[in-house]
Amino acid sequence: MSFFWIIHYVWSIPLKISIVIYLLYLKLGWSAVFGSLICVALMTPLQFLIGKMMSKNAEKMSQYTDERLNKLNEILLGIRIIKLNAWVESFKERLHACREKELRPMKLDCIYWTALTFLTHVASILIAFVTLAIATSYDGDFSSSRVFSALALFNQLTIALFIFPITVPITISAIISTRRLEAFMALPDVHKELDGSQNVARVLSRGDNLL
């Protein structure tokens, strides 16, 4: 659902960055263009690299989530048999093991989000520093009005640079979800559902392996 309200940032944020850089060019000259392009060229590949790593991690997280839900579904189907044979602890341990595997990529995803946010803020600071350094070295007439106007534009650039990387993992998540739905829809139709006795027998066979 987040993809539908954030998809327009994919084209609007680059447009905003281009407009802000042009306004910085009017205020500071070519130093603004060089400083912005240098920092964007350095930070953007790192951000997309993190986005690619987040994509692979999201696939693993989805697989572990499916595994946990399948285990939970099996437990719910045979809950009476599990209670009757006192297999609660055995199935509880198996479910906890699935949950632990699911939590590892979730923790890694938090680290990726932190790194992405950190790079965004570092990029905004570097753009301002490099641009002002180049402008002061090549332009002797550097008034306070130009500095404060440039800082206001840098603030707008920071907002754009902060939002744009967020669109990357959300777009990646949408692509992964679409692929999973396509794979599910491509599965053959099930013409005969398992009845209750077959479900119980399957749970019993799994429970025997635990003993």
Side-chain angles (χ1 to χ4, degrees):
M1 184 63 69
S2 300
F3 175 77
F4 292 101
W5 62 264
I6 208 170
I7 183 60
H8 292 288
Y9 286 126
V10 174
W11 63 267
S12 62
I13 293 300
L15 178 62
K16 182 177 181 179
I17 292 175
S18 301
I19 293 173
V20 171
I21 291 177
Y22 175 72
L23 294 176
L24 284 170
Y25 164 73
L26 296 179
K27 285 291 181 182
L28 303 177
W30 285 104
S31 60
V33 178
F34 291 145
S36 301
L37 291 180
I38 289 172
C39 294
V40 171
L42 290 175
M43 292 299 174
T44 301
L46 292 176
Q47 291 174 339
F48 278 98
L49 177 62
I50 294 175
K52 186 177 181 180
M53 296 170 67
M54 292 178 72
S55 174
K56 294 180 179 179
N57 187 64
E59 291 180 358
K60 290 183 180 180
M61 188 162 51
S62 299
Q63 293 174 359
Y64 292 146
T65 301
D66 291 342
E67 181 181 350
R68 178 179 61 83
L69 292 177
N70 288 333
K71 296 290 183 184
L72 184 60
N73 186 46
E74 292 176 0
I75 292 173
L76 292 176
L77 288 174
I79 189 64
R80 292 184 178 179
I81 304 300
I82 293 173
K83 287 285 189 179
L84 182 63
N85 291 275
W87 292 338
V88 175
E89 291 299 324
S90 298
F91 280 91
K92 181 180 177 181
E93 291 176 0
R94 296 179 65 182
L95 190 61
H96 281 176
C98 293
R99 180 58 177 171
E100 287 296 326
K101 288 195 296 184
E102 184 185 8
L103 285 176
R104 284 196 292 268
M106 292 178 69
K107 294 176 181 177
L108 194 59
D109 188 67
C110 294
I111 295 175
Y112 288 147
W113 272 102
T114 303
L116 199 62
T117 305
F118 175 76
L119 283 177
T120 302
H121 288 288
V122 169
S124 61
I125 295 173
L126 281 178
I127 289 174
F129 179 78
V130 173
T131 301
L132 292 177
I134 295 175
T136 52
S137 60
Y138 285 95
D139 191 356
D141 184 17
F142 202 64
S143 61
S144 59
S145 60
R146 295 176 63 188
V147 173
F148 286 114
S149 299
L151 290 176
L153 292 173
F154 284 134
N155 186 35
Q156 294 298 318
L157 192 61
T158 302
I159 297 173
L161 290 174
F162 180 75
I163 296 176
F164 184 65
I166 297 176
T167 62
V168 176
I170 292 178
T171 304
I172 291 172
S173 298
I175 294 173
I176 293 174
S177 300
T178 303
R179 290 175 181 173
R180 286 165 56 84
L181 285 174
E182 289 177 351
F184 177 76
M185 294 299 180
L187 292 174
D189 295 335
V190 178
H191 299 287
K192 183 179 180 181
E193 296 182 357
L194 293 174
D195 56 17
S197 60
Q198 288 175 316
N199 288 330
V200 171
R202 185 174 61 180
V203 174
L204 283 173
S205 63
R206 292 177 180 273
D208 291 337
N209 295 330
L210 297 175
L211 300 177

